[in-house]
Amino acid sequence: MSLRDCRIIDLPKISEPRGNLTFIEGGVHIPFDIKRVYYLYDVPGGAERGAHGHRNLQQLIVAMSGSFDVVLDDGVSVNRFHMNRSYYGLYVSPMMWRDITNISSGAVIMVLASDFYTEDDYFRDYDEFLSAAKKVRHA
Ligand code: TYD
């Protein structure tokens, strides 16, 4: 559950003259079964999303359209991923604080998640996240 576990996954892409097709199978192309899909769209210029962490949730973030940056922070290191292709997914492990910034106009951000929505899984407070991440590191 550190930044080293978070990575860009190269998704399958079927390219044909009539267009491209990408597919994602839970447990096959990504290391979890998909229980939920949500997407962010119509994001006003300058707005940022995220600014939270998850205790147990695993996620795959895909730029369905447009571009944005995902900033991941495991409490020790920070890494920025620029997302602008629909055939790349960013795997986000549990215990990661994440911000989504530089969201282009018209961007559609799709998130595949390993579990249903529950507010109990969120860290909304960065300091609370930092102390929990420290405990996990020293467990
Ligand atoms: P949130 O995860 O805080 O979005 P972001 O971090 O991108 O700003 O979610 C915003 C609101 O939407 C919050 O009130 C919770 C609600 N929500 C759901 O009801 N179900 C979901 O699957 C998600 C992701 C959010």
Side-chain angles (χ1 to χ4, degrees):
M1 289 200 282
S2 78
L3 256 184
R4 272 170 291 140
D5 303 312
C6 300
R7 61 192 186 279
I8 297 287
I9 296 179
D10 204 349
L11 300 165
K13 178 175 158 199
I14 313 283
S15 290
E16 294 186 21
R18 60 203 173 112
N20 297 332
L21 181 153
T22 285
F23 53 95
I24 306 169
E25 294 180 349
V28 177
H29 305 107
I30 58 175
F32 59 87
D33 287 331
I34 301 158
K35 270 204 181 169
R36 175 167 54 113
V37 177
Y38 68 91
Y39 31 94
L40 302 164
Y41 53 98
D42 292 346
V43 178
E48 303 197 341
R49 303 295 310 226
H52 65 245
H54 285 282
R55 296 170 203 277
N56 296 305
L57 195 71
Q58 300 179 75
Q59 304 163 81
L60 187 88
I61 302 177
V62 181
M64 300 306 280
S65 185
S67 65
F68 51 89
D69 292 342
V70 182
V71 183
L72 297 183
D73 175 350
D74 64 2
V76 176
S77 317
V78 177
N79 207 349
R80 178 180 291 264
F81 298 85
H82 184 63
M83 306 297 295
N84 63 355
R85 294 281 180 262
S86 312
Y87 51 86
Y88 287 139
L90 175 62
Y91 172 73
V92 181
S93 72
M95 292 304 293
M96 210 54 55
W97 187 266
R98 73 155 163 86
D99 289 306
I100 305 182
T101 64
N102 291 330
I103 304 170
S104 73
S105 124
V108 180
I109 303 167
M110 182 178 71
V111 182
L112 309 184
S114 63
D115 213 341
F116 300 126
Y117 169 78
T118 166
E119 190 61 33
D120 294 347
D121 192 61
Y122 276 77
F123 292 101
R124 296 283 186 188
D125 180 75
Y126 185 65
D127 290 334
E128 191 197 334
F129 165 77
L130 278 185
S131 54
K134 199 170 176 183
K135 273 193 201 133
V136 168
R137 277 198 306 281
H138 294 108

